[in-house]
Amino acid sequence: MNPKLVKWFEDAWYKEMYISAWFMPLSMLYVDAVRLRRFAYRVGIKKRTRLPVPVIIVGNITVGGTGKTPLVIWMVEFLKQNGFKPGVISRGYAGKANTSPQSVTADSDPLQVGDEAVLLAKRCACPIVVGADRVAAARQLLSSNACDVLISDDGLQHYALERDIEIVVIDGQRRFGNGYCLPVGPLREPQERVKQVDLVVVNGPDELLEGELPMHCKGQQLINMKTGERKLLVEFKGIPCHAIAAIGNPVRFFAQLATAGLDCQTHALPDHHPFTAEDLQFKEPRPVIMTEKDAVKCARFATDLHWYLPIDAELPEAFSQQLLKLLKDKAHG
């Protein structure tokens, strides 16, 4: 989609810009279609597939990034520490692989399998398979790996895959925007859907509603993409830099750098932007700082001016306890 059109819609959804009433009938039709589709799966008109291991869905009900990937990375490590053997499936958004589903490793081409999938492979050290058909991706993963729990990165609306646990991630800053479904608002499903999931995680501010659990994503150290050198964020304080982000909510990343005292000229690009070397070239020879997700696409033409910021999620003990209890209660016999 045209970046200017994307920007127009985001302003309309999150900045209370007036949208013509002409769009409202489309939103009503969209909601009816969503509810009819869920009903078809619920009563068996559409087939749902049950897998031989527990399936955990980590998703959202809004368009754009909310912080699912850091949570998936955290969950993989947590489950390993508690004796599980997790695997991850993902859609591989923006990937152009000729075959699907496809296994992903840390050395996979992000242009083929998607940037988020390669990031997961680099951080998780567990089996990962991508594919638009989540059921097919899951079957391929389980056919060649001894996993006893499956995490689906996104896929809340992919109802063909039966799930045991649903986790919704909410952007704590933007939440649900104007509260309307597409195309009037950013919601993929009506807001009532949040009340039907097992766990609700809010990424960001501490203002929580009843039943919500906080997640804080933190990064303190920059890594040079050419040399591997590590430096604390505070070491760049006061140094003019460029900051690039091609993620769902680049403002969050830029704000994190500003809070750390960095003086950055910001450059926001569309989510999953296919970077070229020209995107990282500027007249001033300043450090260029980007997200870890963008770094997997830029590594092949990075120089010693290019740095990325790894992000780690922090979750409360209450989330850990509830997740283990849900697995114990809902695990297959």
Side-chain angles (χ1 to χ4, degrees):
M1 185 181 291
N2 185 289
K4 291 184 179 179
L5 184 59
V6 172
K7 180 65 165 58
W8 186 89
F9 272 107
E10 289 183 347
D11 287 343
W13 295 341
Y14 295 109
K15 296 183 180 180
E16 299 183 359
M17 188 178 85
Y18 173 75
I19 294 184
S20 171
W22 288 103
F23 284 98
M24 194 59 71
L26 294 177
S27 182
M28 295 171 65
L29 288 172
Y30 176 86
V31 171
D32 288 342
V34 167
R35 288 176 171 157
L36 180 61
R37 180 170 173 269
R38 285 203 70 199
F39 175 78
Y41 277 109
R42 188 166 58 248
V43 300
I45 297 175
K46 283 182 169 288
K47 181 182 177 181
R48 307 181 82 168
T49 298
R50 165 70 69 180
L51 298 176
V53 301
V55 174
I56 304 173
I57 302 288
V58 179
N60 58 18
I61 66 165
T62 55
V63 174
T66 58
K68 299 185 305 297
T69 301
L71 177 57
V72 170
I73 294 170
W74 183 95
M75 288 175 59
V76 167
E77 184 61 30
F78 174 77
L79 290 172
K80 286 181 179 179
Q81 292 173 359
N82 283 271
F84 291 92
K85 298 176 182 178
V88 177
I89 59 171
S90 177
R91 186 179 184 276
Y93 187 83
K96 300 177 181 179
N98 294 324
T99 59
S100 181
Q102 183 168 327
S103 297
V104 181
T105 69
D107 297 323
S108 293
D109 183 353
L111 298 181
Q112 294 296 312
V113 300
D115 45 22
E116 290 173 348
V118 176
L119 171 56
L120 287 170
K122 288 179 178 293
R123 294 288 299 271
C124 291
C126 75
I128 297 174
V129 174
V130 297
D133 185 336
R134 303 303 202 290
V135 174
R139 282 175 169 162
Q140 177 171 309
L141 187 151
L142 294 175
S143 69
S144 55
N145 298 277
C147 295
D148 55 14
V149 61
L150 197 64
I151 301 172
S152 176
D153 180 19
D154 209 356
L156 186 66
Q157 290 79 32
H158 196 91
Y159 291 110
L161 177 61
E162 188 66 80
R163 64 282 314 268
D164 298 273
I165 300 170
E166 291 184 328
I167 301 173
V168 160
V169 184
I170 298 172
D171 183 330
Q173 295 177 331
R174 304 197 296 183
R175 294 194 74 90
F176 306 115
N178 60 17
Y180 290 105
C181 283
L182 294 165
V184 176
L187 297 184
R188 298 175 176 179
E189 296 184 273
Q191 195 169 325
E192 65 200 39
R193 179 72 172 91
V194 176
K195 299 178 181 179
Q196 301 164 355
V197 304
D198 298 286
L199 292 168
V200 179
V201 174
V202 177
N203 177 18
D206 295 324
E207 296 82 8
L208 301 174
L209 301 179
E210 183 179 358
E212 295 179 345
L213 294 165
M215 177 177 74
H216 296 286
C217 294
K218 296 184 177 181
Q220 304 294 332
Q221 196 174 62
L222 290 168
I223 300 177
N224 188 278
M225 294 171 58
K226 185 70 172 181
T227 66
E229 179 185 4
R230 295 171 180 263
K231 286 188 176 182
L232 294 174
L233 263 180
V234 294
E235 296 183 58
F236 286 77
K237 188 173 182 179
I239 300 176
C241 301
H242 290 284
I244 293 181
I247 57 177
N249 184 9
V251 174
R252 179 189 294 278
F253 177 65
F254 298 148
Q256 184 177 9
L257 298 179
T259 300
L262 275 67
D263 177 17
C264 293
Q265 181 178 350
T266 61
H267 309 271
L269 296 168
D271 196 10
H272 303 288
H273 176 71
F275 279 93
T276 64
E278 288 71 24
D279 291 322
L280 305 185
Q281 294 175 357
F282 301 97
K283 292 182 180 180
E284 312 88 353
R286 300 174 178 176
V288 179
I289 300 172
M290 67 187 71
T291 69
E292 189 174 13
K293 187 176 89 167
D294 294 327
V296 302
K297 291 178 292 187
C298 298
R300 64 188 186 279
F301 43 74
T303 72
D304 55 8
L305 283 176
H306 300 131
W307 301 76
Y308 72 89
L309 182 66
I311 296 294
D312 293 303
E314 295 181 353
L315 289 116
E317 182 66 22
F319 178 85
S320 305
Q321 293 176 353
Q322 291 185 48
L323 178 60
L324 289 177
K325 184 177 186 303
L326 285 166
L327 272 173
K328 179 180 178 181
D329 293 345
K330 299 190 177 186
H332 298 252

